[in-house]
Structure formats: structure tokens, C-alpha cells
Amino acid sequence: MSRVRTRSGRAARIQSQKAVQTRVAPVRRKMNPLEVLDQEAIERIHDASMAVLEEVGIEFRDAVALEHWRQAGADVVDQRVRIDRALLMELVGKAPSEFPVQGRGASTGFMMGGDTSVFCTMKGAPFTRDLDGVRRSTTEADVINFARLTQACPSFHMAGGFTCEPMDIPVAHRHLFMMRHHMVETELPLFGIGTSRERAEDCVAMSRIVAGDVMENATSIFMHASGNSPLVWDEAMLEGARVFADAGQAVLCSPFVLAAANTPADVAATIAQVNAEALAAIAYMQLYRPGTPVVYGQYTVSISMQSGAPMAGTPEVALITTAIGQLARKYGVPWRTSANHASSKSFDAQSGYEGATTLLTAFNAGANLMLHSAGWDEGGLAICYGKFIADDEQNQLMARYAGGISLDRFDEAMDAVRRIGPAGHYLGDSFTLDHFRSAFAMPEMMDFNSFEQWTSSGADDMAKRCRERARLLLDEFQPPQMDEAVRDELDDFVARRKEQIDPTFR
């Protein structure tokens, strides 16, 4: 990889700073979550969700799940399952309100749920906007690079696992290499791939190789079970979810909502449908294996009625997200939303506005898992190196915001007011000298210099500054330690499974 050229001014300062920073601790939110619905409205939506599951029903397109529901006393006709609300809520009540998460690294543990929020990168992009700002198909080299950036950037507590899709690797074997690279290049808990029973089994087996006994007491690998809205859970997702549940690992139960396309063209009704879909999956996981750690998921965007394209950062999506947070707290389960979403086709003002809106909404709504919190553009079709770095910095800033206002040094700071008095300044005061580095955030990727300073430093825009930072992090990357025998076992597993899997498997 080419080195970043030596520059004067800001670029030189970015180059000279230590590339790997201390990881931000899992965020403990100090502010009460925003609520957009009163209690009467929440109960009305809850009741509507229950009515959907009792009267309309939901399809479980999986013979094993249908038999489980039949034995539990649900009304099962063909693939349609109608679930009595008492049974449903009894099952949902068995889901843990919090559960431990731990990667292979000793310092990567946290509790999922409660007042804790954690960041995870985006997942699944088939296209990449590269280090030169050019859009192209994602390659295996990009998978490795983004795994390394996930490890090197300080805001991430989880790795995406399938952060981007290497189009130069056949589909049949792709999951093996995506998992392998994230397990080697990061030490974080991560998402596995459960789009078939076989892929889920491979991911869990690989995680056991690298995480070992950690998986006996904590979640090291998550399954992202994506619903097929409206009101369908497919066999592939349910098969994968059962594999993860059998391993004692967590399942994200996440309807996939394009509001007004696969939900009604109404905000409240969309919330009711999403709630019914998510609760049905959460209840099933508890029916299958009581106590399975689950996350209430929702991926929601609205669509343009002109083009049909997904739109991020809109007011309706913010309202839906915030209301889902209220419902998840009602049921006592951790919940996920998406952060730093953008539909823009370049790393531009639209991308920034969309990402800022979704990130701020996620924190104000009190989400536990901030998914897709770096790199997301084009509605998830593209991952952008520059935006990945910018999002990481925004995550760090938002973590400080969510931590609220501390009074730990308040009395000492007020003593400075008494010392300085009217018409003075605090720049040389002892309190300022002791605390200025930590008192206020000092972002590196955003430019706060004068026009003249910015011009003399090269007049680079933020996208270029972020790409330079990505190059620097990759040039200086040091992989987390892994026992050589563990790495050999992991590589042997990948090689063996590659030979065993039918290359035509989809």
C-alpha cells in the first residue's frame, strides 16, 4: 500500500499522531431517552400489534418452527401462525433484559442492554468507495482493510463480520473468508452469517476456535436474523438462529422495513407492524430455547415515492426509531437501531446530514446496539473509506454527548472564576492547563482553522482528510495477538470447509 506523502500543516499533524488510540469504553448514557408517545399511545400500538398476531397471524416458513408453535398451543394453519397474546408475552418475558458480550480480546467485554450503548460497523456492502474516492466492486482486500480499520478505530465495540461482501470470492465460500479475516484482524465480538444452517454452523465453529471457553459464559458472535416484511420469517433465517441459540449465542431479531412499501403508509401503523414482527421472532427464540439472548431489532427507512429508493435521515424514520425504543423498554429487552445511515452516492453534505440525523436519533432514543455506525452510503450498497473514518470520529463525539454533564470538577472550576474575575481570560489559568486536553472534544477530521490556515495546509476537504487518515491507520496497523496454533487451526478449518462445500451452493 502506498505511503501518505509528507505534508505541512494539518496533514502533517494527522500523520504524526499515534495511529491507534485508546478504545472508547461502552457508552453509559446519562440522559433519559426521548419519548415521542405517551403511555396511552404506547398501549394502543402494543394492543394493535397483539391483534395482528392473533387475528392476521404471521408466517413461519419453516417446518420445524411450525411444529414448535403447534406444540405450544398456537393456531397453525399451513404456514400461518396465530399467537395468543398471553402466550406471546409469556415467551417474550423469558428473554434476558441484559446479557454479557465478550470478544477474544480480554478487554472487549460489555453488557448488552440497560443504559449501555455500543457501536458496530456497517454490514454487507457489495461496492466500495476506495482510498482514491472511486466506486468499484468490493474485494477481499477491502474486507481485510475494513476489519483492520475496525480494530484500529477507537469507537467500535463490535466488528461487522460481513462488513462488506468480497465479490471476487465465490458465494459458496465467501462467509469463511469474511469471518476468518475479522477473527484474525480484530479481537472484538462480531456478527456471524446465518443465511443457512451450514453457514451458521461454520461461523459458530470458527468462533469456538478463536474465542474458546469465552463462549460458555458470554456472547462472542451474533446472528443477524432479518425478517421478510410484511409478516414473514423465512426458513433460512430460522435455521441459522437455532444454530446460534444452541451455541448459547445471541440472535438479533430484526424486521426489514421499507416504510410505505412493505408497511402501511402511516407512521403509527408501521410501528405496530414492526413490533408484531420483532416480538414474534423474540417469542420463537424463547420457545425454542428459553433464555436465549436476543436483541429487538428494527431496520427502518422510508422510500421515495418518486424513485422507490430508500431514504435515511427523514423525520418519520426518526419518530419510528424513537417509538421502537419505548416499546423495547416496555418489554424489557435490549434493542438495536441503525446509526450513520446515508443514501447519498458520494461522501458529501447529504451523506453527513443523513448520518448525523440517524446517529443523534439513535442516542436520543436510547438504543443499545448502534448498528451500521460506520461507512454506510448508497442505502448500504456501498462502504466508503472516508466516511468510515468520519463516522468513527462522530461516534466518539456522540459518546461524549451521551455521557452527559459531569460535576466532578465543578467546584475546582468555579474557583477559577473567582481567580480570574471580570475582563480576564482563562487560557493561562492552572485549571485550564491541567484539564484543557479532556475538557472539550477536539476533533481531528473536521477543520476549525481559518480560511488562510486551511488553504496553506493544502485546502483538502473532509473526504480527502479522512482517506489520508485511513491510509495512515492501515500503514501502521498492528494485528491483535493471536496464538499461532489457534490461527493455524482456524486456517485449516477454512481450507477444509472450502473443499467440502459445493461451489454452486447459494
Side-chain angles (χ1 to χ4, degrees):
M1 181 171 294
S2 60
R3 303 288 300 183
V4 184
R5 67 185 184 279
T6 301
R7 296 284 302 275
S8 60
R10 182 179 191 85
R13 291 196 301 275
I14 292 174
Q15 280 189 300
S16 66
Q17 71 181 118
K18 188 172 184 283
V20 179
Q21 303 173 45
T22 302
R23 191 167 306 283
V24 173
V27 182
R28 300 296 296 272
R29 301 185 309 277
K30 299 294 180 61
M31 295 176 286
N32 292 329
L34 179 66
E35 296 188 347
V36 293
L37 295 172
D38 61 25
Q39 193 58 39
E40 180 181 355
I42 283 290
E43 290 303 321
R44 186 175 176 186
I45 288 176
H46 166 78
D47 185 67
S49 299
M50 297 301 100
V52 167
L53 294 174
E54 289 177 326
E55 299 167 14
V56 179
I58 184 166
E59 287 194 6
F60 280 78
R61 296 179 179 175
D62 173 70
V64 174
L66 291 171
E67 183 57 29
H68 289 153
W69 280 118
R70 206 175 277 115
Q71 292 177 7
D75 177 20
V76 180
V77 179
D78 296 326
Q79 295 180 321
R80 186 79 61 94
V81 180
R82 293 177 174 84
I83 312 168
D84 177 80
R85 68 184 64 196
L87 171 62
L88 182 93
M89 294 312 299
E90 178 187 355
L91 291 169
V92 170
K94 296 179 181 180
S97 59
E98 295 181 275
F99 58 89
V101 181
Q102 174 74 51
R104 70 177 178 88
S107 62
T108 60
F110 57 86
M111 292 297 293
M112 177 65 73
D115 62 358
T116 298
S117 295
V118 295
F119 294 107
C120 180
T121 61
M122 75 162 291
K123 304 205 290 339
F127 297 100
T128 292
R129 191 169 302 112
D130 66 20
L131 289 166
D132 295 315
V134 177
R135 183 186 186 270
R136 54 168 174 73
S137 291
T138 296
T139 66
E140 183 179 7
D142 295 311
V143 175
I144 295 171
N145 278 349
F146 280 111
R148 290 175 174 177
L149 289 175
T150 301
Q151 176 68 21
C153 290
S155 74
F156 304 118
H157 308 102
M158 291 184 61
F162 50 107
T163 303
C164 49
E165 290 264 354
M167 307 308 285
D168 53 347
I169 299 178
V171 171
H173 308 140
R174 194 174 290 171
H175 67 289
L176 298 171
F177 292 91
M178 288 189 286
M179 290 294 102
R180 184 266 178 203
H181 296 323
H182 280 81
M183 290 175 176
V184 170
E185 306 294 349
T186 84
E187 59 181 354
L188 303 172
L190 74 162
F191 272 92
I193 301 170
T195 51
S196 72
R197 178 178 55 80
E198 293 82 0
R199 289 190 182 105
E201 289 172 344
D202 285 342
C203 291
V204 169
M206 294 171 73
S207 186
R208 287 204 185 281
I209 292 171
V210 300
D213 293 341
V214 168
M215 292 175 65
E216 300 304 317
N217 300 304
T219 291
S220 288
I221 188 166
F222 284 68
M223 154 82 182
H224 187 151
S226 184
N228 186 4
S229 301
L231 299 171
V232 173
W233 284 96
D234 286 319
E235 180 182 52
M237 290 294 168
L238 294 170
E239 283 188 338
R242 287 193 292 266
V243 170
F244 277 71
D246 286 339
Q249 302 301 286
V251 179
L252 168 62
C253 303
S254 193
F256 184 88
V257 170
L258 303 173
N262 57 12
T263 70
D266 178 81
V267 169
T270 293
I271 296 166
Q273 180 186 307
V274 170
N275 192 45
E277 292 169 340
L279 289 179
I282 290 171
Y284 175 67
M285 296 316 302
Q286 304 311 309
L287 175 61
Y288 175 67
R289 190 181 180 93
T292 292
V294 293
V295 177
Y296 181 131
Q298 62 92 21
Y299 171 87
T300 303
V301 293
S302 56
I303 64 163
S304 169
M305 291 302 180
Q306 296 174 320
S307 66
M311 301 186 297
T314 61
E316 293 79 15
V317 172
L319 291 169
I320 291 168
T321 296
T322 308
I324 292 295
Q326 291 183 250
L327 287 163
R329 288 187 290 276
K330 170 184 171 64
Y331 305 127
V333 290
W335 73 286
R336 158 261 166 140
T337 191
S338 301
N340 287 319
H341 264 204
S343 303
S344 179
K345 312 310 175 289
S346 65
F347 181 25
D348 59 4
Q350 178 182 333
S351 177
Y353 280 127
E354 289 179 287
T357 299
T358 56
L359 180 60
L360 184 60
T361 296
F363 264 107
N364 284 340
N368 301 112
L369 173 56
M370 308 288 182
L371 199 56
H372 304 320
S373 66
W376 180 288
D377 260 337
E378 284 189 49
L381 288 176
I383 185 168
C384 173
Y385 278 87
K387 189 174 189 297
F388 195 97
I389 298 300
D391 289 342
D392 169 61
E393 183 169 86
Q394 291 301 305
N395 295 342
Q396 295 175 63
L397 299 179
M398 193 55 59
R400 293 186 65 130
Y401 164 77
I405 298 173
S406 171
L407 297 181
D408 290 348
R409 299 195 297 250
F410 181 65
D411 292 338
E412 188 182 354
M414 292 307 298
D415 287 341
V417 176
R418 296 181 180 91
R419 282 195 301 275
I420 299 303
H425 70 77
Y426 294 83
L427 294 176
D429 183 71
S430 59
F431 183 83
T432 301
L433 295 175
D434 287 343
H435 300 295
F436 75 93
R437 289 181 178 84
S438 60
F440 297 95
M442 292 185 284
E444 285 288 339
M445 294 300 101
M446 294 189 289
D447 188 286
F448 301 98
N449 289 324
S450 68
F451 179 82
E452 291 74 19
Q453 290 171 317
W454 173 71
T455 301
S456 67
S457 296
D460 292 341
D461 62 14
M462 187 171 182
K464 187 173 182 180
R465 294 194 299 271
C466 288
R467 291 196 298 269
E468 287 181 347
R469 176 66 175 165
R471 284 192 177 97
L472 174 66
L473 289 171
L474 292 170
D475 280 350
E476 297 188 354
F477 181 75
Q478 296 293 323
Q481 289 187 347
M482 174 179 277
D483 185 272
E484 187 175 344
V486 171
R487 181 165 175 164
D488 288 344
E489 184 180 356
L490 181 65
D491 288 342
D492 288 346
F493 179 91
V494 171
R496 183 174 70 255
R497 289 293 294 139
K498 181 181 177 183
E499 293 301 315
Q500 293 170 345
I501 297 172
D502 182 347
T504 64
F505 179 66
R506 290 292 184 270

